[in-house]
Amino acid sequence: MRTLRFLLQKEFKQILRSKSIIFSIVIGPIIQLILMPLAANYEVKNIYVAFVDHDHSSYSQKLIQKVYSSIYFKASPYAASYADATKLIEQNKADIIVEIPHGFEDDLVREGKDKLYLAVNAINGTKAGVGSGYLGAIIADFNQDIRLQWAQPGRFSEAATIDLVTNNWYNPFLNYFLFMVPGLMVSLLTGIGAFSASLNIVKEKEIGTIEQINVTPIRKVHFILGKLIPYWFLGMVVFTIGMLVSRLIYGIIPLGSIPMLYAFLAVYLITLLGAGLLISTYSDTQQQAVSVAFFFVLIFNFISGIFTPIDSMPEWAKWLAFLSPISHFAQVMRMVVIKGSGFQDIMPHLIAVAALGVVLNTWAVINYRKTT
Amino acid sequence: MKQLLAFVQKEFYHVFRDRKTLLMLFGVPIAQIVLFGFTLTNEIKNANIVVSDYAHDNVSEEIIRKIEASRYFHVVHSNMSHNQIEAAFRTGNIKMAVIFPANFTSDLSHLNKAQIQVIADASDPNTATTLTTYLKSIISDYQVQMAQLNNTPYQINSEVRMLYNPELLGAPNFVPGVMALVLMLICAMMTSISIVKEKELGTMEILLVSPIKPFLLIVAKVIPYLIVSIINLITILLLSVFLLHLEIKGSLILLFAESILFIISSLALGLLISVRAQSQMAAMMTSQMSLMLPTMLLTGFMFPIENMPWPMQALSNIIPSRYYYTIVKAVMLEGLGITAIWKETLILAFITFVLVVINLRSFKTRLA
């Protein structure tokens, strides 16, 4: 016990002395947490629409006005022909082309139907899908206006309509920060945790100071605990800073229980540090440790569901996500913070993370050798 | 020249002896392409939704069949109460509930108006709005169909064509982004770490007193990573052609030339970091904070730049990868030539030039 206390004293001194570590652990996350949510907004808006109006009628003008008055759409520069409009797409000045055929209004009034031609730049698939969806809704709305204007005011001539009444629970204003900030906190914490702990041990190896520790009566367990406990505390501190930032800057107050979040975090950090430790036992240089940690953090980060929904992934990726502690913690954070989920709801995730923690830590301890 | 070759050889030994670092150098691009190609899409597929059909009539059932047929939804049938829906939302298994009220069809045929209630779990606003949009288009398709059957007057039908990427895959958007990210990472991060490592271990002193010119020393450091980057570029292109079936529409030579320009700018960034950083950890943290993050955020491949607040939009103008991303998209996916991207190329070249000049300057001071 006494040995451990001295080791802890040494580690804390080393960490607190190093300005670059303090900077990257305290200031770094704050900056990232302030900047990233501002950028990480998938909401599809600012869709540039170019109209190629061959009709120049009052209807085509009305349609154009209706589209541009929506918050989602913005006007592209004028295009006289379809070829012009295609150029606009190539220059990234338009996302959607709407071609209004010659005689649009006349055909609509006389023959009762006409067509609009839409061409969408689909390189960004989501933007294309959602954008053309919005546009379709506006056109349908416009169509309904015209129908009401012309149709006889009788009940049966009117087309039957089905209305969708939408309720957005938990986040009625569709505030994107509420969703992204808890997820990003997990991502940041993971990056710091996995890297700093593994780098720390490997640094001793690389510089050679680990030899000195190896010849002392310090036991394997003490050494490992001495390395992990400080970073466990640092993880707690970083998380607390994150909670404060999200409270003060984004006004996010967790709906669920905060002590429960900390309890989950405590388990999560043990798992995460176990992974860092495991990496360090397999690496001899810091460059190696960084490379390996980077490789896994990158994969697990992207697959964690923080940035893109897990539901859309293929089966193998879902399994990988299930094996990744990051995705469990990200889900728990979002569930507890946004929806106020209770212990019952997060139980499966807690078990999964704890099990992973046991596996990783056992593996790391077995693999750690005092001799080289 | 002979000296330079000897030093390049030394650096190659360093790089290729270290198997685990090679995993990073060559594994990351492959993993990223596979990940981005197959798993990462903002499109929402197979979302679990609950359909509560209190109407049980032919119209509601037909609409439900249409919802089931869509690849976006995975439908669970059950007549849930609001409390049950809330409980299901809290476990995170259900994204949306669609409720058909009793006498749905009779409302529709008698009042000419009927309602479907949709409750979305908006804790993920993106999923919520996207799913609602999908549902809306299914319903409006159904209505258009009905209207055609009933010969409703004044119909506007839209014919939609998706250009460049008709299946709306995620890969075309991500591949150029991954190229930028990987090249940036390998060039900048690994170069800076490998130089700082010599500083940290003290071997830099030995190198500096050797007869080779300091400038050549740096060139020797950089060459292996330049070559590794080019190999990676080829790997990424091969993978995207053969694995993701993305066609390279434009000129390959132009693509390579632009890539090398970008690689040089990244290498220069890496050198710049290595001049400042004193420890490998610091070098790594700096590359992560000042390179990785901006590349991921401000390049435009993950998040649309036009949604960001103006200071970040302004900042994105000095990020080299942003221009590279635009260039790759234009050349590779849209098949455009240099005439369409000369502006981006010039800016990228200018940034590279500035970076190299800064490097040469700060390098001299370090030797003094």
Side-chain angles (χ1 to χ4, degrees), chain A residues 113-314:
Chain A
K113 57 165 77 175
D114 205 353
K115 270 187 175 165
L116 288 174
Y117 298 93
L118 270 64
V120 185
N121 180 359
I123 286 186
N124 183 342
T126 317
K127 195 171 185 179
V130 177
S132 60
Y134 289 153
L135 198 58
I138 291 182
I139 293 173
D141 214 35
F142 173 73
N143 197 355
Q144 191 68 21
D145 290 352
I146 290 180
R147 210 169 276 153
L148 289 178
Q149 187 188 330
W150 281 93
Q152 307 299 321
R155 216 179 60 191
F156 294 104
S157 58
E158 211 178 303
T161 50
I162 301 174
D163 282 343
L164 279 190
V165 184
T166 325
N167 290 318
N168 288 314
W169 281 9
Y170 306 116
N171 187 1
F173 300 109
L174 299 178
N175 174 0
Y176 215 77
F177 295 140
L178 188 57
F179 178 63
M180 270 331 262
V181 172
L184 288 174
M185 265 173 70
V186 173
S187 171
L188 290 178
L189 187 73
T190 307
I192 294 162
F195 282 111
S196 47
S198 65
L199 273 184
N200 181 293
I201 297 178
V202 179
K203 189 176 180 181
E204 301 236 20
K205 276 196 201 176
E206 202 174 43
I207 297 179
T209 46
I210 203 159
E211 290 292 319
Q212 289 162 16
I213 289 170
N214 283 345
V215 295
T216 60
I218 296 170
R219 302 225 325 262
K220 202 157 118 171
V221 182
H222 285 153
F223 177 72
I224 289 178
L225 282 178
K227 286 286 178 199
L228 293 191
I229 291 172
Y231 285 98
W232 188 84
F233 271 108
L234 276 182
M236 289 288 190
V237 172
V238 171
F239 185 78
T240 310
I241 294 173
M243 293 292 271
L244 288 176
V245 169
S246 59
R247 171 77 181 84
L248 294 176
I249 294 187
Y250 297 104
I252 295 172
I253 305 166
L255 214 59
S257 137
I258 296 178
M260 194 171 72
L261 276 182
Y262 272 93
F264 194 95
L265 173 73
V267 178
Y268 176 74
L269 282 174
I270 295 174
T271 308
L272 183 67
L273 293 174
L277 188 65
L278 186 62
I279 291 172
S280 74
T281 62
Y282 277 104
S283 324
D284 301 314
T285 64
Q286 293 184 62
Q287 198 175 10
Q288 276 181 3
V290 171
S291 306
V292 177
F294 205 85
F295 183 79
F296 287 108
V297 168
L298 202 67
I299 291 179
F300 284 126
N301 231 333
F302 277 133
I303 221 159
S304 65
I306 294 175
F307 301 101
T308 56
I310 296 180
D311 282 340
S312 318
M313 296 177 185

Side-chain angles (χ1 to χ4, degrees), chain B residues 53 55-65 104-106 142:
Chain B
D53 183 6
H56 275 299
D57 48 42
N58 55 341
V59 179
S60 74
E61 273 166 15
E62 200 177 334
I63 294 176
I64 292 169
R65 268 200 299 280
F104 176 73
T105 310
S106 76
Y142 175 76

Side-chain angles (χ1 to χ4, degrees), chain B residues 16-31:
Chain B
F16 286 99
R17 263 187 204 151
D18 191 344
R19 292 274 160 77
K20 283 159 201 153
T21 308
L22 279 183
L23 172 72
M24 156 85 183
L25 290 180
F26 296 110
V28 163
I30 296 174

Side-chain angles (χ1 to χ4, degrees), chain B residues 116-132:
Chain B
I116 300 173
Q117 196 189 13
V118 176
I119 300 173
D121 174 356
S123 63
D124 178 351
N126 187 38
T127 306
T129 40
T130 312
L131 288 180
T132 316

